[in-house]
Amino acid sequence: MEALTFIVAIATIAILHTIVPDHYLPISMLALAKRWDQKKIAKAVLLVGSAHVSGSILIGLIALVVGLEFSAYIASIVENLAGYLLCGFGALYAVMALHGHHSHRHYPHHHDDHDPYHDETLYSLALILGMMPCIPAIPIFVIASLKGAMLGAITMITFAVLTILTMGILVYLTSLPGRKIPPQNERRANIIAGVVIFLTGLFILIFELKRRIIHQFASTFGRRDSLAWIEYS
């Protein structure tokens, strides 16, 4: 029964945290702008999703060694950096689209599986989103692992599978309209994609600012330890 409780808890977190737009919207916007087929969408979701869950699990393992409070501090720095990088990625993408770089560098019909620019974009996005750990999942990883290595592994695997699956469903559904975008509107679609990705990064930074305000408030009243992880929710 205790194991089931952990599995249900981590499954709920995996699904709910992935619904937040910063987890799938950047991929969806690229898929929309470039009219990716299902194969490229699947590749993007697997690459970015794997990077994201790996980052979350890595922070969880660090928390097992150094403790929750210090790992929360590390997660805060990394997520804040990811917000700036996502803003930079979106801004650069929009500027390049504005000057026609995306259209000129792409191969005909966007269906070349060996398009190097497609790979560069995905690797960059995977690196950035991989730096955004799922904070609410970390304490569950730690507590489950302390109760047994098997239970810890099950919670991490459950989190990884459901996160990537939910991300895939959301990206697929939100990118469907991209197939109806005429090729002549590609440049405009790429500009919009860059702007939306920039705004997604800005959303992360605003969220981090709110977290820091809560952190200062908690510290003022001497409750820093008890709110070390709650403040990230």
Side-chain angles (χ1 to χ4, degrees), residues 1-7 64 139-156:
M1 181 61 70
E2 186 179 46
L4 181 61
T5 301
F6 278 100
I7 293 173
L64 275 172
I140 296 181
F141 291 158
V142 172
I143 297 172
S145 297
L146 291 175
K147 289 182 175 294
M150 181 62 71
L151 182 57
I154 291 174
T155 57
M156 292 176 185

Side-chain angles (χ1 to χ4, degrees), residues 12 46 57 63 68-69 83 97 158 180 183 201 209 211:
T12 303
L46 283 174
I57 292 174
L68 284 174
E69 185 175 357
T158 301
K180 300 179 181 179
L209 179 61
R211 183 206 61 77

